[in-house]
Amino acid sequence: MNWLAQFNFDLLILFTLILTRVSGLVMTAPIYGSSDVPLQARALLAFSLAVLVTPTQFGTLIEPPGTLPNYLTFIGSELLVGVALGLGVLVLFSGVQVAGQLIGRVSGTALSDVYDPAFGEDVPQFARLLFLLAMAVFVTLGGHRIVMAGLLDTFEAIPPGSRLVPLSLVDTFERLLTQSFALGIRASAPVVTALLLATVVLGLISRTLPQLNVLMLGFGLNAILTFGVLALTLGAAAWVFQDQIEPAMEMLVESFVLPSSG
């Protein structure tokens, strides 16, 4: 039993707190927390990251929890920080989801919805396409490294066991939701505008030629316009998403750095 007497319980508490924060990020952030990735792989990734981060926090002084409720408070605050960081990135990706849903609803292709494991619901195929495009752009620009850098920054601003939750997160998420919605509108604007103009033209034609089957003509025209305009503007949608990545991540990370300035 000598090994038990020599065991450093403070180090164990530090590791569990870091593991909790890392797990909150890994289970919610895109790429890391996608349902396409097996749960065992995500758990192994979270454990491996915690092992790598723990030596950098050896100098952190943690107040002994003393009781189980206090320890659960530590765990809850760490989990909230990790989940907030992951959800912030997920909110950014939801903008392209909005764009795909708008295109699917206006074009009349909503009946071909497919299951999206990233969001756990049925979404239009265009939403899935734009989400995969955003994922590719995110990885190409090194977004996964930016997320990891943001995670390390949270340990500098909010050391493990400090039980600090920045109140600025509420304002940050409000701004992220606004930017995400604006991103969806901008990405879908070319296709939606073309479809609305086609609807107006078909309405004028139906008034001139009542015997024309506008309903059947409209389905074909909408499909051609949707795929044609989307093919021409897909690069622009990726560019719009690219411009939002760095400002959104900087704003999210700054919301965690603010408490240390006091």
Side-chain angles (χ1 to χ4, degrees):
M1 299 296 290
N2 292 332
W3 64 270
L4 185 60
Q6 298 175 358
F7 188 80
N8 192 337
F9 285 97
D10 292 337
L11 181 60
L12 176 62
I13 293 175
L14 175 64
F15 177 76
T16 56
L17 294 179
I18 294 176
L19 178 61
T20 302
R21 185 181 300 192
V22 174
S23 300
L25 171 66
V26 171
M27 294 304 170
T28 55
I31 301 177
Y32 304 107
S34 174
S35 300
D36 297 331
V37 182
L39 181 61
Q40 296 84 351
R42 285 181 281 168
L44 179 61
L45 175 61
F47 183 83
S48 302
L49 290 174
V51 171
L52 294 175
V53 174
T54 299
T56 66
Q57 303 296 318
F58 279 162
T60 304
L61 298 178
I62 300 179
E63 177 186 354
T67 62
L68 181 59
N70 288 338
Y71 179 68
L72 293 179
T73 303
F74 287 168
I75 292 293
S77 61
E78 296 297 322
L79 183 63
L80 182 58
V81 172
V83 169
L85 183 59
L87 287 180
V89 183
L90 188 61
V91 167
L92 180 63
F93 275 82
S94 65
V96 294
Q97 189 87 351
V98 171
Q101 289 179 349
L102 283 174
I103 294 174
R105 296 296 183 267
V106 177
S107 64
T109 59
L111 294 177
S112 60
D113 289 1
V114 295
Y115 180 76
D116 188 354
F119 289 88
E121 61 181 1
D122 292 336
V123 298
Q125 292 183 352
F126 297 112
R128 182 63 176 166
L129 172 64
L130 292 177
F131 180 83
L132 294 177
L133 174 66
M135 189 78 72
V137 173
F138 189 75
V139 174
T140 302
L141 295 179
H144 54 295
R145 295 193 298 270
I146 298 177
V147 172
M148 288 294 104
L151 175 65
L152 295 177
D153 289 340
T154 63
F155 284 107
E156 295 182 4
I158 308 176
S162 58
R163 290 185 289 186
L164 292 176
V165 178
L167 298 178
S168 58
L169 277 176
V170 177
D171 180 63
T172 299
F173 271 90
E174 181 181 354
R175 294 165 62 186
L176 281 176
L177 286 171
T178 303
Q179 291 185 6
S180 178
F181 184 76
L183 169 64
I185 298 297
R186 292 172 60 191
S188 62
V191 178
V192 173
T193 302
L195 290 172
L196 291 178
L197 288 176
T199 302
V200 173
V201 172
L202 286 176
L204 295 176
I205 293 176
S206 66
R207 299 287 293 182
T208 306
L209 301 173
Q211 66 275 17
L212 188 65
N213 192 340
V214 179
L215 183 61
M216 296 300 298
L217 180 62
F219 279 123
L221 182 61
N222 284 349
I224 294 175
L225 281 176
T226 301
F227 286 102
V229 177
L230 185 61
L232 293 175
T233 60
L234 198 59
W239 191 276
V240 170
F241 177 76
Q242 172 187 337
D243 291 340
Q244 294 291 330
I245 293 178
E246 286 193 16
M249 291 303 303
E250 290 177 359
M251 179 175 59
L252 184 60
V253 173
E254 285 176 359
S255 66
F256 292 100
V257 177
L258 285 176
S260 63
S261 62

